[in-house]
Amino acid sequence: MAEQTPYWLLISVLFSSQPLTPALAMTLHEAAYELYTRGEGSREVAGDLLSGRVNNLRRDVSLGGIAGPAFEAEIETERGSGVVRFVLTRQGLEMMKAQPPAPVARKPQYLN
C-alpha cells in the first residue's frame, strides 16, 4: 500500500511541530489505522525514523472537504521531539477496506 498510495490521500495533517517525511507520515498512518480498526486508545511506535506514542482521540473532525477520525502523536525524531495532530481521511479508510486482508502467519508444518 505504501508504494502505491501517496500518504496525503491516507492522512491529513492538521498540525505538526516537526516536518513530516513520507515515511514518517506512513508510519503514523499505519499505527493510527491499527488503533482505528481495533478500537484501541493508544499505541507505541518505534523504528529507524521515530519513537513515540499515537493516541486515538475517539472523535471525528471535519475541515472543509476532509473528514475522519482524529489522532495525536507525540514523537521523537532525529530533529527532536514534536507533536502531530492528524486525521485518517475517509477516502483513505475506504481504500484500506478495499485491500485484500494481510496473510495470516502460519506455524510451519512438519512432515515427521
Side-chain angles (χ1 to χ4, degrees):
M1 183 75 166
E3 296 84 26
Q4 299 170 4
T5 307
Y7 71 90
W8 61 85
L9 291 177
L10 301 172
I11 71 171
S12 180
V13 177
L14 303 174
F15 168 81
S16 180
S17 62
Q18 291 285 323
L20 289 183
T21 63
L24 179 57
M26 289 304 294
T27 301
L28 293 176
H29 170 265
E30 289 170 11
Y33 186 73
E34 286 292 318
L35 289 172
Y36 175 75
T37 57
R38 294 180 180 181
E40 296 174 349
S42 67
R43 153 177 274 185
E44 294 287 328
V45 289
D48 297 338
L49 304 172
L50 83 148
S51 64
R53 176 171 287 282
V54 176
N55 298 303
N56 184 347
L57 299 180
R58 298 184 191 269
R59 67 179 98 148
D60 283 0
V61 297
S62 178
L63 181 64
I66 299 170
F71 295 84
E72 181 177 77
E74 297 170 5
I75 58 172
E76 282 288 332
T77 69
E78 70 276 354
R79 295 181 178 170
S81 62
V83 174
V84 182
R85 292 184 187 101
F86 61 99
V87 173
L88 291 182
T89 65
R90 292 287 172 209
Q91 180 182 11
L93 290 172
E94 291 300 319
M95 292 174 74
M96 295 298 289
K97 286 181 190 174
Q99 269 189 290
V104 177
R106 295 184 183 181
K107 291 174 99 177
Q109 295 182 357
Y110 299 103
L111 297 175
N112 7 3

